[in-house]
Amino acid sequence: MIPNAQKGWKSIFGSVAPLGWRLRLAVFVLLLAAVATVWVTNSLLTDRFTESTHNRAELRLALYSGNLLSELRRNAIVPQLLARDPTLISALQSGDFSLSTQRLLSFVEEIGAASLMLLDRDGRAVAATDRNRLGEGHRSAAYFVEAIRSNATIFSVIPREAGGYRFVYSRRLESGAEILGVIVVEVDLQKFESAWAGISDAVMVTDSTGTIILSTEPQWRGLNEQEALLRQHPQGAIERAIRATADWTALPPDAYLQGEAVMRMETRIPFRGWKMTSFTTYSSIREKVNSVLALEIMGFAILLALAFYALSRRATFRMALFQRESAELRALNARLQREIAERERVEKTLEVAEQTLAQSSKLAALGEMSAAVSHELNQPLAAMKTYLAGARLLLRRNRPEEALASFGRIDGLIERMGAITRQLKSYARKGADAFSPVNLGEALASSLSMMEPQLRQRHVKISQILPEDPVIVMGDRMRLEQVMVNLLRNALDATKSVAEPEVEIILAAGETAVLAVRDNGHGIENIENLFEPFYTTKRAGDGVGLGLAISSGIVNDHGGRLTARNGQNGGAVFEMQLPILGQDGLEAAE
């Protein structure tokens, strides 16, 4: 093998001299190709990235202005609608504003406005979504004075004391020729500033006088554009622009090719002469182009080095390659054998783990089912015990008819216990029970009747706010009553340590049916784990932590959701939201 290798080396070095001029020609051609490739790539990529950056800036500016205009137009309709609201007009006429604030709160989440406020004819805030503003005087405010004088919707831009501006729509409420008050709708435009600040552009919105009213840079608000650009700029796109030039407004948009790193774009917003201006940096274009050029130059350099290396070290490279491949194959063979042995061991361990996990799952399912049955049957059993005691007392007093009524209630509770066990059995095969129209008001009354023994033992103030019209949903009445009983029982348990316990029940109908149960207890400490199975804050023996988990599953099966939060004035608020059944759906169900 050694003599053959020596012959190979002689043949290689012997052919180097005749190939000298060919090698120099190949290197020269390679250098020409590299220069041409780099030149063409630089020109094409610079134009392409510049155009791409320009198009993205135009698209963002159009999107931002469209979103801003859409928000303004959407909120402009709100005062017209609220000015015709009969509840607000009646409150202004009668002077009774006890339900006006709640009325505005019911609107603010659907509308998406920052706040709503109702002013009487003297400019006093009689209802507001922000309760801290109740009683404030706005008689001299421009949005109140102009709304009283005009029969149209008034838009006002009001400077804030802490900086920035408030954007307000106002319109007067009237009955016949009598002016009753003014409805004020505040538009939340600051959310756009937060959204714009998450990008590399700097964005400002100016009114018809050139004053900056919205901006990603807080220092710009209240100034015109020239004054704003003279101030010290924060970190970001505008600081890089200041380093590049002191007068960017005099340069063309595609100024990057002339050494400028900022593009200024402006568009008109068809709303009271507003304009939107954005400043976009081009600093990333040269970085992108240079990275590609560096890769190309590196590639040509590697090709040139490989050409010289192939001519001088071909034989040695092949020999070393064969030796390295042989060593790698031996190492790979040993590694494969180790991996095969490890895989066989893991498969055996996995088989044992799967058997253990299957047994654990069976035990967990059995324990969860027994705990659920114990929890759900506890309430009917407690009620039956109370009714039996009452019936026994009535029989002793020779009042058999009333005792028979108690036995009838006991019979109903037995039927309910059977329904609960059927529901627990059907958890593994959801969808077996057919839904029917359910009047939530009647279901609530039935639930309160079932809670009557607990309510007699406790002196709890129960207040109900129910709509005049029936609230109909599609569902299983027995399961919905089960959810209501759980919510009422939790409210009663939460008020055990309160001196004057109160429970408020609110049933409302809008796009969805909402049942809210509020208490004046100590609130909820851990809301995140509240609906998890076996999580409870009660003492041992008072509960197993399955009531809310089961109730949440029932509401989800009905296409709704069960939520919990702490009230503003303390206590806990549980809300059950269900899809409401309209007149068409009710007729179809019948």
Side-chain angles (χ1 to χ4, degrees), residues 541-570:
D542 290 345
V544 295
L546 284 172
L548 290 178
I550 294 175
S551 299
S552 179
I554 293 174
V555 176
N556 291 338
D557 292 342
H558 285 73
R561 62 173 183 168
L562 182 62
T563 59
R565 68 177 189 275
N566 288 317
Q568 296 180 353
N569 299 325

Side-chain angles (χ1 to χ4, degrees), residues 10-24 311:
K10 290 180 179 179
S11 63
I12 291 174
F13 285 108
S15 61
V16 170
L19 294 177
W21 67 273
R22 297 180 181 179
L23 179 62
R24 287 193 292 270
L311 290 174

Side-chain angles (χ1 to χ4, degrees), residues 108-378:
V108 70
E109 294 183 358
E110 298 178 358
I111 295 172
S115 65
L116 300 176
M117 185 166 53
L118 180 64
L119 309 179
D120 61 12
R121 69 184 65 184
D122 296 327
R124 183 173 60 90
V126 295
T129 54
D130 184 2
R131 299 181 184 273
N132 295 327
R133 305 190 66 179
L134 292 175
E136 291 183 355
H138 302 267
R139 185 178 184 86
S140 59
Y143 51 82
F144 175 79
V145 176
E146 293 180 10
I148 290 294
R149 295 176 179 175
S150 174
N151 192 24
T153 302
I154 305 300
F155 180 80
S156 305
V157 180
I158 306 168
R160 297 178 182 269
E161 296 180 359
Y165 293 87
R166 295 171 54 210
F167 305 91
V168 174
Y169 281 106
S170 59
R171 188 181 181 91
R172 73 187 187 189
L173 284 78
E174 54 187 6
S175 177
E178 180 184 5
I179 299 176
L180 302 177
V182 173
I183 185 70
V184 179
V185 179
E186 184 175 352
V187 186
D188 183 15
L189 298 185
Q190 278 71 30
K191 62 183 180 182
F192 293 107
E193 291 181 334
S194 302
W196 299 338
I199 59 174
S200 60
D201 295 12
V203 183
M204 65 173 68
V205 177
T206 58
D207 61 10
S208 58
T209 63
T211 303
I212 299 175
I213 56 178
L214 289 173
S215 174
T216 55
E217 307 294 333
Q219 300 179 13
W220 289 358
R221 301 192 194 105
L223 307 175
N224 56 38
E225 184 175 349
Q226 289 73 21
E227 295 173 346
L229 299 183
L230 293 177
R231 289 202 171 188
Q232 182 179 1
H233 292 71
Q235 296 291 334
I238 303 307
E239 186 177 21
R240 293 193 293 271
I242 288 292
R243 294 174 181 174
T245 180
D247 185 16
W248 58 35
T249 59
L251 294 172
D254 296 329
Y256 177 81
L257 301 178
Q258 302 178 11
E260 174 55 27
V262 171
M263 175 186 66
R264 179 184 183 278
M265 299 186 64
E266 181 181 284
T267 185
R268 293 184 177 273
I269 302 175
F271 183 81
R272 299 180 176 269
W274 287 13
K275 296 180 181 179
M276 178 177 288
T277 307
S278 68
F279 300 93
T280 305
T281 63
Y282 282 93
S283 58
S284 61
I285 293 180
R286 181 50 54 193
E287 297 175 358
K288 295 178 180 178
V289 175
N290 289 342
S291 63
V292 176
L293 296 181
L295 291 175
E296 290 183 348
I297 295 173
M298 184 182 299
F300 282 111
I302 292 175
L303 288 176
L304 186 61
L306 289 176
F308 284 104
Y309 186 79
L311 290 174
S312 61
R313 300 295 301 269
R314 181 183 302 174
T316 304
F317 175 78
R318 289 181 177 179
M319 185 179 298
L321 179 62
F322 292 155
Q323 293 176 353
R324 185 168 59 251
E325 288 179 350
S326 178
E328 289 177 354
L329 287 174
R330 288 194 297 268
L332 180 61
N333 186 26
R335 187 165 62 252
L336 288 176
Q337 291 178 355
R338 291 194 300 270
E339 290 180 356
I340 291 173
E342 180 66 19
R343 184 181 295 274
E344 292 176 352
R345 186 185 64 82
V346 170
E347 288 178 353
K348 293 180 180 178
T349 304
L350 181 60
E351 183 178 357
V352 175
E354 288 177 349
Q355 295 176 357
T356 305
L357 181 60
Q359 183 65 22
S360 300
S361 300
K362 293 178 181 179
L363 294 176
L366 181 61
E368 184 175 351
M369 178 63 71
S370 62
V373 171
S374 174
H375 178 273
E376 294 303 325
L377 296 183
N378 183 51

Side-chain angles (χ1 to χ4, degrees), residues 64-102:
Y64 295 162
S65 60
N67 291 340
L68 185 62
L69 181 62
S70 176
E71 183 74 12
L72 291 169
R73 288 179 175 175
R74 183 171 62 85
N75 285 272
I77 305 175
V78 176
Q80 301 179 21
L81 300 177
L82 295 182
R84 302 173 183 175
D85 187 78
T87 303
L88 299 180
I89 293 175
S90 175
L92 289 172
Q93 290 176 338
S94 63
D96 182 12
F97 307 103
S98 58
L99 300 179
S100 300
T101 296
Q102 188 66 29

